[in-house]
Amino acid sequence: MLPSEVEEVLTGKCRIFKRESGNVEGEDLYNAIGKTKGGRYLSVFFIRKLGNKALIITAREMNKREHGRYEKK
């Protein structure tokens, strides 16, 4: 998967879920699920940093459960 695909998910119509509270105040772990322009369904885990920036931890193809959550929009 390409970094540009991860950016497409995060800047497009994705659904974002808070997964865990971080050790640093305001820096929590989130999961974004969305579709790329090429039609891939991705799940992206990231830490929301101060200044509204994201530190990408990992990205992968959505599993069935995530796909179901994404389609419920």
Side-chain angles (χ1 to χ4, degrees), residues 1 15-17 20 28 35-36 40-41 50 52 68:
M1 134 179 4
R15 298 194 68 197
I16 298 176
F17 303 94
E20 292 181 20
D28 301 322
K35 187 176 177 182
T36 67
R40 290 179 76 183
Y41 290 87
L50 300 175
N52 212 24

Side-chain angles (χ1 to χ4, degrees), residues 4-21:
S4 60
E5 291 178 304
V6 172
E7 284 184 36
E8 287 175 15
V9 168
L10 293 176
T11 59
K13 294 183 180 180
C14 66
R15 298 194 68 197
I16 298 176
F17 303 94
K18 183 177 177 181
R19 303 301 293 205
E20 292 181 20
S21 294

Side-chain angles (χ1 to χ4, degrees), residues 6-72:
V6 172
E7 284 184 36
E8 287 175 15
V9 168
L10 293 176
T11 59
K13 294 183 180 180
C14 66
R15 298 194 68 197
I16 298 176
F17 303 94
K18 183 177 177 181
R19 303 301 293 205
E20 292 181 20
S21 294
N23 293 333
V24 176
E25 185 176 337
E27 294 190 357
D28 301 322
L29 178 66
Y30 292 88
N31 177 215
I33 52 178
K35 187 176 177 182
T36 67
K37 293 176 186 172
R40 290 179 76 183
Y41 290 87
L42 302 182
S43 180
V44 180
F45 289 85
F46 66 96
I47 295 174
R48 185 174 177 186
K49 303 292 277 181
L50 300 175
N52 212 24
K53 297 190 185 239
L55 172 63
I56 308 303
I57 304 300
T58 190
R60 58 171 169 71
E61 297 284 338
M62 274 188 218
N63 61 33
K64 287 181 183 182
R65 181 173 177 222
E66 291 166 332
H67 201 281
R69 290 178 89 183
Y70 178 71
E71 293 299 330
K72 285 185 180 181

